Amino acid sequence: MTRFALTVVRHGQTRLNKEKVIQGQGVDEPLSETGFKQAAAAGIFLNNVKFTHVFSSDLTRTKQTVHGILEKNKCCQHMTVKYDSRLRERKYGAEGKGLSELRAMAKEAGEECPGFTPPGGETLDQVKMRGIDFFEFLCQLIWKEADKKESCPLETPSNCLATSLAEIFPLGKSCASKFNSDSSAPELVASVLVVSHGAYMKSLFGYFLNDLECSLPETLSKSELTSVSANTGISLFIINFEKEREVKPTVQCVCMNLQEHLKEMTETC
């Protein structure tokens, strides 16, 4: 059994987010002033977390967000970010249009958002398959690296990875103990940061919940499960998996779309 932590963060606010204009993949808008502040706030919140891997969508708003986070991190400032197009936002086929226009297009076609796909857009199933492809790639990468290091000391001890997470996330004593090396659970072999997009994250989390039957914290409400993350919302999952692809990974959700770091900001979205 291989076990790792997966922290997923949505990018900061852009001008078009605020104006409710669809960006998708076709409009590569940079962060707004508020978006940069949100990224810095997320970085301060995560500044003691020891990440072993960092991945990001290759669009401008996610690139700027991940660098804003790493700039504040005490031990990962100089980590190499791996940009992956599989982490991009859904290709809507209606980029540059307002959300109200997309809803009108859907209504005219006799469908409802978000299931409606304009010509040239990605279906929800296609977005889901991109997410699964990236997740399976990530599991295999972590397993191969852990297998190579099995007979050697880790550069970052797994109990340090666990402790750095338990110090800031709302785990509670019973959950926090599961991260410690003296518990019956396998040790964490990696701590991965992923920066992506709202609709993409909702699709990936839906896969965790519906296909992998992810366990959830009792405090998570139904609306939190079905809503799109706020800008720089932070989610943490603990992944357990076997080498064999036939065995489904088990996923524990520690928190979803956390916004603690935004409390002191005067403008959120």
Side-chain angles (χ1 to χ4, degrees):
M1 180 72 73
T2 304
R3 194 165 184 257
F4 70 97
L6 175 62
T7 303
V8 186
V9 183
R10 187 187 175 195
H11 64 81
Q13 184 200 70
T14 68
R15 174 182 59 87
L16 297 184
N17 282 148
K18 190 171 182 179
E19 295 176 359
K20 300 189 183 304
V21 173
I22 297 166
Q23 296 167 101
Q25 296 184 19
V27 180
D28 200 14
E29 183 79 6
L31 296 183
S32 64
E33 182 180 351
T34 295
F36 280 110
K37 290 178 180 177
Q38 290 172 334
I44 291 169
F45 183 77
L46 297 168
N47 69 352
N48 284 318
V49 177
K50 297 175 175 64
F51 294 113
T52 57
H53 304 73
V54 181
F55 292 89
S56 170
S57 156
D58 58 354
L59 298 177
T60 297
R61 55 195 184 273
T62 41
K63 286 182 175 181
Q64 291 175 332
T65 301
V66 75
H67 284 290
I69 292 172
L70 293 181
E71 281 176 0
K72 302 294 183 182
N73 195 284
K74 293 179 180 178
C75 51
C76 304
Q77 286 185 351
H78 304 295
M79 281 194 71
T80 300
V81 180
K82 296 180 181 178
Y83 299 107
D84 197 312
S85 61
R86 288 174 293 188
L87 295 171
R88 286 183 177 186
E89 181 59 293
R90 179 185 180 186
K91 183 180 180 182
Y92 282 93
E95 279 78 351
K97 296 182 183 295
L99 283 173
S100 58
E101 292 180 78
L102 180 62
R103 292 191 184 103
M105 291 169 65
K107 186 176 181 180
E108 188 176 342
E111 299 182 41
E112 293 184 4
C113 292
F116 172 65
T117 305
E122 281 184 300
T123 65
L124 293 179
D125 282 343
Q126 288 173 322
V127 179
K128 178 181 176 180
M129 290 311 298
R130 266 204 292 130
I132 293 173
D133 186 44
F134 175 78
F135 179 67
E136 290 182 347
F137 150 79
L138 185 60
C139 288
Q140 290 303 306
L141 173 69
I142 299 300
W143 180 83
K144 287 176 183 177
E145 292 183 353
D147 189 51
K148 286 180 182 178
K149 294 177 181 178
E150 194 172 28
S151 59
C152 305
L154 291 173
E155 291 181 10
T156 306
S158 59
N159 61 333
C160 292
L161 300 178
T163 301
S164 72
L165 290 165
E167 284 176 352
I168 64 165
F169 284 100
L171 305 173
K173 290 184 179 179
S174 59
C175 287
S177 66
K178 295 178 183 178
F179 291 98
N180 297 333
S181 58
D182 59 352
S183 75
S184 58
E187 296 181 345
L188 294 178
V189 299
S191 181
V192 182
L193 172 65
V194 167
V195 179
S196 189
H197 305 263
Y200 179 90
M201 288 166 57
K202 184 179 178 182
S203 175
L204 179 63
F205 297 171
Y207 168 65
F208 288 169
L209 293 167
N210 300 320
D211 295 64
L212 301 184
E213 300 178 339
C214 172
S215 63
L216 299 169
E218 294 178 1
T219 55
L220 204 61
S221 68
K222 186 176 181 180
S223 62
E224 288 175 305
L225 290 174
T226 57
S227 62
V228 173
S229 171
N231 290 110
T232 66
I234 300 170
S235 301
L236 173 62
F237 301 89
I238 304 301
I239 315 296
N240 295 273
F241 68 97
E242 304 280 358
K243 176 187 175 183
E244 292 75 17
R245 289 176 180 263
E246 293 75 19
V247 181
K248 282 187 177 182
T250 60
V251 181
Q252 173 197 354
C253 175
V254 175
C255 65
M256 189 178 289
N257 304 335
L258 191 72
Q259 299 175 53
E260 289 290 316
H261 57 292
L262 299 178
K263 281 185 176 180
E264 295 184 4
M265 292 189 62
T266 57
E267 182 181 10
T268 59
C269 56

